[in-house]
Amino acid sequence: MVADSGITKDSKAAGADGPSPDAPKRRRLVAPPLAPELPIASHEGLPFLTIVAIAVLAGLAHLTGAPLIVTVGLAATSLAGLAMYLRDRRDERRTTALLAQTAARSRAEIETLADRMWEMQESEERFRGLIDALGDLVVHRDRDGHIVYANRVFASLVDIDPGDLAGKTLSELGIDVGIVPDAAFSDHECLSSTDVAIRTPNGPRWFSWIELSVRDKDTGAVSHRAIARDITARKRAESSLITARERAEYASQAKSRFLATVSHEIRTPMNGIMGMAKLLADTDLSPEQRTYVGAVSTSASALLALIEDLLDYSKIEAGRFEPEPQPTSLREIADNIIELLASKAYAKNIGLGCHVEPDVPQMITADPGRVRQVLLNLIGNAVKFTDAGGVLLTVARARTETTDHICFTVADSGPGLREADMERIFEEFEQSDGTSTRAHGGAGLGLAISKRLVTAMGGTISVSSRLGQGSEFVLEIPATQATEPPQHRHNILADRRAVIVSKNAIEADAIARTIRAHGGSVEIAATPSQAAPFAAGCNVLLIDATLENADGRMLGRLREGGFADCEAITLIAPTDRGMLGEFRANGYATFLARPVRGETLLRVLLTSHAPALAKPQPQPRGGSSVRRRDHGLSVLIAEDNDINAMLARATLLKAGHRVRIVGNGKAAVDAVTEAGVKHRFDVVLMDLHMPVMDGLDAIAAIRRHEEAMAVSPVPIMVLSADSQEKTRHAVLAHGASGFVTKPLDPDALVQAVEGQVAA
């Protein structure tokens, strides 16, 4: 045992050549002896000799004739001593073996405990080495924030020797990490985290500082143990991302400003091209010249539509589109769009109809401008791609216990779509036919813009189609704050039995749906012979004017075929209204302008059988009811673009009005304020963007002058290429009376001007 007390495991492993210079200095603990090992060999013979002597004496006593009792006593004593000796020797051997075993176990336990303590020390050193290798900071502080322990990484970071860190506070080292207050220890521990900047000799670095503060339940002692990881790279990346985002936002804003400026500059001459082409078309032209003028107008309109799409797309990309909800009439929007696109449909000899279900709300809260834009795109595309048949717009209400939506369905009889194209067409710059030989042009932005607009309004847009069998686009928007329609409308046509004679199946179907939805009955026929079986009980006869002759031959045949007592109504295109006198003379009671508005259809069918064509027709707004002076209205035009000014001037002069032109807002203010009461202008047309003073400032100056002089406000119509609802609201809020969108339509301009002074 003594021989091993000074030898370590590492020295044994090193061999005869001695320990490795990198080997840790470790000594093995050896258990000392529990008691000194006494020499017992010199005493163990004494008791045995005594027993032998007693036995010899017993033999001598027997030989010498001593009494028997003496001999027996000595022999018994000798035997008893021998037995006791043998027992003592056995007990001594047992005790010695037990002591040896106990000493061996104690030595093994001490050596095992020493090995475990060494392993724990090695594990702790390895753990600390691992933490140091990871580069994390480890700091242990007491209740008052004084450092109890800090690893080498922390010491190296603050450039202080590890031994000198004990007792210091983080604030002394320039690190802004406080102490968690005692009130935070409701559960005897508190975990906190923060990002900390630490000044180092190589510059500031950022660390994610996570600290666990613990209070002992028994003693109440508090300690703060923290580990911090270097996040300088992440902070720099975040800073770079913020800088990159700011640059991207600035670039996007610059792009939007550029597009807005360029589009305005493009639309200004485009206004002149389209307006002058319209004026030129009203002059005496040869058929060839009229064809060329029509081509100019068509090209200008296509270019203007492309500019509008690019502007909308750029606004959506920049995240600047925000819906402007307001009370909206869905019937009015649907009818207006159908009327607007009717001329394109009739030019292709296809039908265009609209049907609004009776339960559709009178009003909902939505963005009317964006709803109109999406429907214009959907119906315009349907008209563009349909060469036979027609396009039908249906407006219905889809209501459940939890949802209430308005569904606009645009169905066409066009070529249809392949299944692979039905999702692709909603992507930017995608078309159903993307080949270089496609028959229809366009940038492929309309549906992409429409989908984003609908999504922003909380709606959906989808398409279903089969190749060669047409397509059906469905637009759904929430019916927010819906105003319910009158309940009695469902059966207002219960006594009407109508027959529609028309080859235009789409429009005839739209009219028939409206009649049936309001309680009436209706049949559709393409020819008089097909209509004959439906004569019994019929009291209303609707005849397409394209089937009628100048002498009323079609109506005469129908009268002879059993429709003698029916009220005859002609369905006439707006361009054919010059024939109304002939139709009246041939027996037609009234007319319905194609495409037929649902409300107009109901009103006509509910009226009496008196011939409405004999009654004086209401004059359009701005007609004979307009308060005109002897030589028309006095109009002031504030426009810095000569072409636009000349177009507006020529249009108004042709309508019989007097015109004065100024080139900026300041001149317009001077003209209005200097005119006096006797020579006041009846209407002012004010461009928004002008030098010296823009349109809004000029309007505000004119309104201030009118308030100071206590005179009635002069109507001011704003001229602008920006047709956004936001712009309309802004100019009206500044005191404008109306809004005219560029490019100027001559007829619309005259109606707008005359409408401002209607009696």
Side-chain angles (χ1 to χ4, degrees):
M1 289 189 292
V2 177
D4 292 338
S5 63
I7 301 176
T8 66
K9 290 183 178 181
D10 295 313
S11 63
K12 290 181 179 180
D17 296 334
S20 171
D22 295 331
K25 297 180 179 180
R26 173 183 172 188
R27 296 184 59 84
R28 179 176 179 180
L29 300 178
V30 181
L34 297 180
E37 297 180 359
L38 300 177
I40 60 176
S42 59
H43 301 284
E44 62 183 358
L46 182 60
F48 180 77
L49 293 177
T50 302
I51 293 172
V52 172
I54 294 173
V56 171
L57 289 176
L60 292 176
H62 177 69
L63 294 176
T64 56
L68 180 61
I69 190 171
V70 174
T71 302
V72 172
L74 289 174
T77 301
S78 174
L79 291 174
L82 180 60
M84 292 178 62
Y85 172 75
L86 293 176
R87 186 191 65 186
D88 290 342
R89 290 293 298 171
R90 183 190 64 190
D91 291 344
E92 181 181 353
R93 284 194 300 270
R94 289 179 178 178
T95 300
T96 301
L98 182 61
L99 289 175
Q101 292 176 2
T102 301
R105 283 197 302 268
S106 298
R107 181 186 300 275
E109 289 175 357
I110 292 175
E111 290 179 352
T112 301
L113 179 61
D115 289 340
R116 289 180 178 176
M117 290 177 62
W118 175 251
E119 290 174 357
M120 290 176 63
Q121 182 178 359
E122 285 185 332
S123 297
E124 183 178 357
E125 290 179 357
R126 285 196 300 268
F127 177 74
R128 291 182 177 179
L130 178 60
I131 294 296
D132 292 342
L134 291 176
D136 292 340
L137 311 182
V138 178
V139 180
H140 180 196
R141 296 185 292 167
D142 61 15
R143 184 190 191 105
D144 299 324
H146 295 97
I147 296 176
V148 177
Y149 166 79
N151 67 343
R152 296 189 188 96
V153 179
F154 181 84
S156 175
L157 182 70
V158 297
D159 198 21
I160 297 178
D161 187 84
D164 297 334
L165 286 174
K168 293 183 178 295
T169 63
L170 294 179
S171 59
E172 294 175 0
L173 302 176
I175 302 175
D176 186 17
V177 178
I179 297 296
V180 177
D182 291 348
F185 293 88
S186 58
D187 296 328
H188 301 283
E189 66 179 28
C190 177
L191 184 65
S192 59
S193 64
T194 185
D195 291 347
V196 179
I198 300 179
R199 293 189 299 271
T200 69
N202 297 324
R205 301 193 67 81
W206 283 90
F207 289 83
S208 176
W209 189 283
I210 301 176
E211 188 166 68
L212 178 64
S213 302
V214 181
R215 181 174 59 192
D216 188 88
K217 296 181 181 180
D218 299 328
T219 64
V222 175
S223 62
H224 308 277
R225 300 178 176 89
I227 184 169
R229 176 155 295 180
D230 193 335
I231 58 171
T232 305
R234 191 189 78 187
K235 283 289 185 178
R236 290 174 180 171
E238 290 176 355
S239 178
S240 299
L241 286 175
I242 293 174
T243 302
R245 184 183 64 187
E246 291 175 349
R247 290 178 178 175
E249 290 176 352
Y250 178 80
S252 178
Q253 293 172 1
K255 179 189 70 174
S256 299
R257 289 194 301 270
F258 171 77
L259 284 175
T261 302
V262 170
S263 66
H264 181 270
E265 295 301 323
I266 292 176
R267 279 184 291 188
T268 298
M270 193 62 59
N271 174 42
I273 294 172
M274 297 179 68
M276 290 302 174
K278 185 77 180 241
L279 290 177
L280 184 59
D282 293 337
T283 62
D284 293 332
L285 300 174
S286 66
E288 183 179 6
Q289 291 171 332
R290 195 169 297 280
T291 301
Y292 296 157
V293 172
V296 171
S297 298
T298 301
S299 300
S301 299
L303 181 57
L304 187 65
L306 176 59
I307 293 172
E308 295 292 343
D309 285 346
L310 289 174
L311 274 177
D312 287 333
Y313 181 74
S314 66
K315 291 173 186 176
I316 295 173
E317 282 292 301
R320 296 194 302 156
F321 167 69
E322 294 182 2
E324 300 178 5
Q326 55 187 284
T328 302
S329 172
L330 301 177
R331 289 178 172 84
E332 189 69 20
I333 288 179
D335 288 335
N336 288 344
I337 292 174
I338 293 298
E339 288 182 351
L340 182 63
L341 297 175
S343 59
K344 294 183 178 180
Y346 298 156
K348 300 183 66 174
N349 198 27
I350 62 174
L352 182 61
C354 175
H355 169 62
V356 182
E357 294 287 348
D359 62 342
V360 171
Q362 291 291 101
M363 304 285 288
I364 67 169
T365 298
D367 188 331
R370 298 307 181 180
V371 174
R372 185 182 301 109
Q373 180 179 354
V374 175
L375 288 177
L376 275 172
N377 186 272
L378 294 180
I379 301 173
N381 278 349
V383 170
K384 180 172 69 172
F385 289 100
T386 301
D387 296 323
V391 178
L392 177 63
L393 169 63
T394 304
V395 186
R397 189 175 191 176
R399 184 162 42 178
T400 65
E401 294 181 357
T402 57
T403 62
D404 191 4
H405 287 83
I406 303 298
C407 299
F408 298 87
T409 303
V410 180
D412 64 65
S413 55
L417 296 169
R418 292 184 294 269
E419 185 175 354
D421 295 333
M422 284 191 282
E423 287 296 330
R424 184 174 59 85
I425 59 174
F426 289 105
E427 301 297 330
E428 293 83 357
F429 307 104
E430 291 287 351
Q431 294 180 325
S432 59
D433 182 6
T435 64
S436 59
T437 59
R438 64 179 182 268
H440 304 282
L445 282 175
L447 289 178
I449 293 173
S450 297
K451 185 172 183 178
R452 296 198 182 192
L453 293 178
V454 172
T455 302
M457 292 187 292
T460 61
I461 186 171
S462 60
V463 59
S464 60
S465 178
R466 294 187 66 181
L467 196 62
Q469 299 183 20
S471 303
E472 185 176 276
F473 287 82
V474 178
L475 162 66
E476 289 193 17
I477 60 174
T480 307
Q481 299 179 3
T483 302
E484 298 300 327
Q487 296 300 318
H488 67 278
R489 293 170 58 93
H490 291 77
N491 296 312
I492 59 177
L493 298 181
D495 61 341
R496 287 299 187 178
R497 302 291 183 268
V499 174
I500 303 173
V501 183
S502 175
K503 291 184 178 180
N504 195 319
I506 295 294
E507 291 188 21
D509 181 57
I511 296 173
R513 289 190 183 189
T514 302
I515 294 175
R516 294 189 185 108
H518 292 84
S521 62
V522 61
E523 300 292 343
I524 301 175
T527 63
S529 58
Q530 293 180 2
F534 309 126
C538 175
N539 52 27
V540 177
L541 190 59
L542 304 173
I543 302 174
D544 191 343
T546 59
L547 300 178
E548 186 58 275
N549 302 101
D551 56 0
R553 191 181 310 166
M554 171 72 72
L555 180 58
R557 289 178 56 188
L558 290 169
R559 296 288 191 198
E560 295 173 357
F563 293 94
D565 298 330
C566 293
E567 179 181 13
I569 301 173
T570 182
L571 308 176
I572 189 169
T575 56
D576 297 330
R577 289 192 180 186
M579 301 173 59
L580 289 177
E582 298 177 1
F583 288 136
R584 173 174 168 269
N586 292 326
Y588 285 94
T590 186
F591 73 97
L592 286 170
R594 299 172 52 201
V596 178
R597 282 176 171 254
E599 295 297 318
T600 304
L601 174 65
L602 296 178
R603 185 177 67 252
V604 169
L605 293 181
L606 289 172
T607 57
S608 64
H609 293 267
L613 288 179
K615 300 178 181 179
Q617 297 300 316
Q619 295 291 331
R621 189 178 184 185
S624 61
S625 61
V626 175
R627 178 184 56 84
R628 296 193 182 185
R629 296 179 180 172
D630 295 339
H631 301 287
L633 300 175
S634 177
V635 182
L636 173 66
I637 300 176
E639 173 64 72
D640 62 323
N641 184 273
D642 295 337
I643 302 297
N644 288 339
M646 182 169 57
L647 170 62
R649 179 177 179 275
T651 300
L652 295 175
L653 288 176
K654 187 176 179 180
H657 304 301
R658 292 174 289 110
V659 179
R660 178 182 172 184
I661 298 176
V662 295
N664 58 70
K666 179 66 168 56
V669 174
D670 294 341
V672 172
T673 57
E674 294 171 0
V677 178
K678 294 183 179 180
H679 303 286
R680 290 190 68 198
F681 294 100
D682 295 311
V683 180
V684 176
L685 297 178
M686 185 79 69
D687 187 21
L688 272 187
H689 304 288
M690 293 182 293
V692 183
M693 179 183 289
D694 64 15
L696 293 181
D697 291 339
I699 293 173
I702 292 173
R703 296 307 185 211
R704 288 194 300 268
H705 169 75
E706 292 169 342
E707 291 177 1
M709 300 300 294
V711 296
S712 59
V714 60
I716 301 177
M717 301 288 293
V718 170
L719 303 176
S720 176
D722 188 351
S723 60
Q724 298 182 86
E725 295 291 331
K726 182 178 181 180
T727 304
R728 293 176 181 266
H729 295 164
V731 299
L732 294 177
H734 275 75
S737 307
F739 192 95
V740 179
T741 304
K742 297 179 182 178
L744 297 177
D745 179 81
D747 294 336
L749 177 62
V750 172
Q751 291 184 11
V753 169
E754 294 179 350
Q756 288 296 317
V757 292

